[in-house]
Amino acid sequence: MNDRMLVHKVYHRLSLLCLTPHTLPFKPVQFPSALSPAHVRARPLNGTVRSLRTTAVMATSRLRNLVPVNAVASEDGSGGASNGSVSSTAATTALEDEEDSTLGVRYRLPPQEIKDIVDAPPLPALSFSPHRDKILFLKRRSLPPLAELAKPEEKLAGVRIDGKCNTRTRMSFYTGIGIHQLLPDGTLGPEIEVHGFPDGAKINFVTWSPDGRHLAFTIRFDEEESTSSKLKVWVAQVETGIARPLFKSDEIFLNAVFDNFVWVNDSSLLVCTIPLSRGDPPKKPWVPFGPKIQSNEQKSIIQVRTFQDLLKDEYDEDLFDYYATTQLVLASLDGTVKEIGPPAVYTSMDPSPDHKYLLISSIHRPYSFIVPCGRFPKKVDLWTADGKLIRELCDLPLAEDIPIAINSVRRGMRSINWRADKPSTLYWVETQDEGDAKVDVSPRDIIYTQPAEPLEGEGPMILHKLDLRYGGISWSDDSLALVYESWYKTRRTRTWVISPGSNDVSPRILFDRSSEDVYSDPGSPMLRRTPAGTYVLAKVKKENEEGTYLLLNGNGATPEGNIPFLDLFDINTGNKERIWKSDKEKYYETVVALMSDEKEGDLPIDHLKILTSKESKTENTQYYILSWPEKKAFQITNFPHPYPQLASLQKEMVKYQRKDGVQLTATLYLPPGYDSSRDGPLPCLVWSYPGEFKSKEAAGQVRGSPNEFAGIGPTSALLWLARRFAILSGPTIPIIGEGDDEANDRYVEQLVASAEAAVEEVVRRGVAHPDKIAVGGHSYGAFMTANLLAHAPHLFSCGIARSGAYNRTLTPFGFQNEDRTLWEATSTYVKMSPFMSADKIKKPILLIHGEEDSNPGTLTMQSDRFFNALKGHGALCRLVILPYESHGYASRESIMHVLWETDRWLQKYCVSHTSTVNVDPDASKDNSGTVSKDSESKAIAASGGSGSEVSNTEHEGFDSLPRSLL
């Protein structure tokens, strides 16, 4: 029997088996006691390639991993069920045999010193009442179990839907709500716990009523019974904490696929509900009605980035309608319930400041199979508060043809909103360049305004014309508003001063600068809350002085790091008075919010009250109330240190220079108690993410503060401080394209030069062993990692690449900030692709990817194909695919296993690194990224030119825990 037939027979037999452990034809003991990553593949260390016969044996061994998704071993190895823990025995048992490790790797736990940090209880989120006299502590749990991610989800129109809950999938939640009175001396009163709902409830969408007397939120449960898992709206009295359901009927559930609910006044809410008449979901036909056909016989030019989770057929369209269709319900606290409007796919609802009108947005057919729901036909209507249609504002057609150039937008009315300073006045923007950023026209955008119910014959009024792309408005009154515009290609940003109520006053430019120049950033104007619940510019007045003053809250970037500030800014003269700034010697302080904003009119400077945060290298963030004129600070939180074992870590912002003269910075972290003269150089992990710039000067500016607290998220590189690593975090890797030059045309050269400078600096300081430096990154940082191992193998002992994209020909209509197509910049696409240099990668590389990655630019296939390319050239590599995980990893099992894999890789190929790994001697000289023309043509052929596989923008943001939400 030949190998091909053997494989076929093995898989045929597998397909006949029932996939439950209870019916397998061998003893249950052969099952691992914990869940397993779906695919953990490694190239054999001897460089051989497995035969088909070996693959067949591997396929058979996969049966050992077929266990129920909730079957997780306890940490003592006892089996049974669980809290999401995995076997500690499995975590401590070394995998001596690399072959065995590819067959049935169980979920593992990292070393105890890392596990303890990740398992530390999270701090609560914070929310202040409208009158700033009360504060909510929203309590959170630690990492969720994998079983939560394993629940079925529908992938429709770019949205992932939990059909059982009728909401988005993978929602986090709060476990409890505590209410504290904010006392006059700045201290907190005793906690009032919101109560009245059953134990185990998952809490979401917590909002204050406009008068601050009630809270609204949703609860749900994890139960098999279908209705208990759907969301119900509850309300609670703030004074007592007593909660009750908003609806008396047990049959009314929230539909939270798009919007959820909104307070329309102090005692009423507008709620998106599941229509009571809705039946069972549509059934997928066994036999399709016909082939799936897409046509472009009109020869339209439609370039779209490779979006994921799109509709595929008529059944998907029907299923999307089933879950997304909403019945709007107006519900009062007294129990009155009224359905308003017909059922539709409503995406947003916005009451006017005077509570008389509703701005209602919805989407409708015809849908698309090539773009997500955000580009479906969109209708915006104006209703009365009780649901009567006044007029249709717009009905925008399907927008499949928005150009891929950055700053391109949809044609027609967009950014339709209520003026924050008026009872019921609308404003919106319309493009004049057909939405195409490549069209040169003046003006590019026009802002219009109009009353909700204009007089007969009264058309929209032009408020302002812009030559760049509209970026928003901060309203004050008829005498003052600030309008923002920007343009990415030039990094230009401008702020205009306009007088909305006077045509006689000409608009004038307040700020005109480069968005990259952080040193010149004047700060952002602070807003105050109005009695209507909107936010307008906070104007401040000085005693016995004329003038209009704003509060500018800035990061205060300087060559020594950020020193945040608060300026009193004269809008007419441009004069500034710095009324507060951060302590730059030891602490990092920021202005978080204005606390004296509940009154009408200009705020006297002596009545100013702000919320600030304060932290240091070793002290975690706490919050303070700072009051004028004494500027006395009262501490209102006392959060414990989240990881006391690293409380004395060492942190330093380091500066060094690239060989082309560009100034670079990084944050160097060293373990507690480390002394370079006594302990010598350490193994080092470099973790970064490249960025694009238009000028060397801007690229060299310092961002961040040396005094910021080290936030350590569950997958942060800083966890390896507990393993006695030096960590070079966020070394700047600027990819610069000055003038008309495109930054990515010299991506590889600048990437390598930046990495060389970073490595030279840590070695010069004596804190990193030159042969024990690893490099890693997530998303675009993973792309960076693979490129560095291909083009600068002399710098690093190994690499860790998480959720990356490695073949840019599979994202042919742009990626990250690249908006040229593959056919416009073929050479750049190919040179930047580490996939095309797989034959040069000889250093060990660990690839990790979520099996359900939803990010447009980083399909899981990217890691799969890259691994196969590496394996085909004998590279030392390992691929870990995490079941049910998306672009960032969420479950405890997955995160712990990622940490175990990473630690194993670092210990084996960084800490214990020797010079026995073969490196192509010519590879270290190839810093140009040059690829032959044959490679280019093969790359384009491989991509198929269809743009149907992977796509554009990748963003990180998963390696740091956010501060408490305010």
Side-chain angles (χ1 to χ4, degrees), residues 608-664:
L608 183 62
K609 186 186 294 183
I610 59 175
L611 177 71
T612 66
S613 67
K614 184 177 182 180
E615 61 197 80
S616 73
K617 297 176 184 179
T618 58
E619 300 172 47
N620 55 304
T621 305
Q622 306 293 351
Y623 294 95
Y624 296 77
I625 300 291
L626 185 65
S627 301
W628 268 251
E630 298 87 0
K631 296 186 182 179
K632 186 175 181 180
F634 296 95
Q635 183 173 341
I636 62 171
T637 62
N638 189 24
F639 297 130
H641 198 292
Y643 19 89
Q645 58 272 58
L646 293 179
S648 58
L649 62 79
Q650 303 173 55
K651 176 184 177 182
E652 181 183 358
M653 182 173 284
V654 297
K655 301 178 185 179
Y656 49 98
Q657 202 171 72
R658 204 163 73 177
K659 61 185 179 182
D660 60 359
V662 176
Q663 181 74 30
L664 304 177

Side-chain angles (χ1 to χ4, degrees), residues 394-618:
C394 66
D395 192 350
L396 305 177
L398 180 65
E400 292 182 330
D401 59 348
I402 298 176
I404 62 172
I406 298 174
N407 284 130
S408 293
V409 296
R410 190 173 194 157
R411 293 188 293 271
M413 296 173 67
R414 70 181 199 277
S415 300
I416 307 173
N417 288 295
W418 297 107
R419 276 186 59 167
D421 62 327
K422 291 289 185 180
S424 53
T425 299
L426 294 163
Y427 71 98
W428 66 91
V429 185
E430 294 186 33
T431 181
Q432 306 300 300
D433 57 11
E434 294 297 309
D436 189 348
K438 291 184 177 180
V439 174
D440 190 11
V441 65
S442 178
R444 190 172 292 276
D445 274 337
I446 297 178
I447 306 170
Y448 294 92
T449 183
Q450 188 179 44
E453 295 191 75
L455 300 174
E456 186 175 352
E458 183 183 6
M461 182 185 73
I462 294 177
L463 184 67
H464 191 50
K465 297 180 179 180
L466 300 169
D467 285 336
L468 309 181
R469 189 63 80 204
Y470 167 80
I473 301 179
S474 294
W475 299 94
S476 174
D477 50 37
D478 276 338
S479 67
L480 175 63
L482 301 181
V483 180
Y484 311 99
E485 62 173 342
S486 63
W487 197 248
Y488 177 77
K489 281 293 185 184
T490 60
R491 308 302 198 271
R492 189 178 187 184
T493 179
R494 295 195 296 198
T495 303
W496 291 84
V497 178
I498 65 171
S499 297
S502 177
N503 294 327
D504 299 332
V505 180
S506 299
R508 61 184 176 88
I509 292 177
L510 185 64
F511 304 121
D512 188 350
R513 46 181 292 274
S514 169
S515 60
E516 289 184 338
D517 183 9
V518 294
Y519 291 170
S520 70
D521 187 352
S524 302
M526 298 197 73
L527 305 178
R528 69 170 181 86
R529 189 178 188 278
T530 68
T534 61
Y535 285 84
V536 298
L537 291 168
K539 292 198 292 187
V540 178
K541 60 183 179 183
K542 288 184 173 182
E543 189 175 0
N544 301 323
E545 287 191 30
E546 297 294 330
T548 301
Y549 297 92
L550 301 180
L551 293 168
L552 295 184
N553 181 14
N555 291 325
T558 73
E560 288 72 45
N562 288 358
I563 306 173
F565 63 82
L566 187 65
D567 279 352
L568 198 60
F569 178 72
D570 190 324
I571 194 72
N572 297 314
T573 66
N575 294 331
K576 299 179 184 178
E577 177 187 349
R578 187 140 299 178
I579 61 175
W580 176 90
K581 70 176 181 178
S582 173
D583 173 5
K584 68 178 181 180
E585 300 303 325
K586 179 181 178 181
Y587 291 101
Y588 178 71
E589 301 168 286
T590 64
V591 175
V592 179
L594 185 63
M595 300 295 286
S596 50
D597 62 352
E598 73 276 11
K599 295 184 174 65
E600 287 276 22
D602 294 357
L603 176 69
I605 185 66
D606 287 345
H607 293 177
L608 183 62
K609 186 186 294 183
I610 59 175
L611 177 71
T612 66
S613 67
K614 184 177 182 180
E615 61 197 80
S616 73
K617 297 176 184 179
T618 58

Side-chain angles (χ1 to χ4, degrees), residues 7 16 167 240 283 288 354 363 446 515 524 593 760 801 819 890 963:
V7 173
L16 299 178
T167 184
T240 64
K283 295 185 181 300
D354 62 3
I363 56 178
I446 297 178
S515 60
S524 302
E760 289 171 4
D819 60 4
R963 297 181 185 174

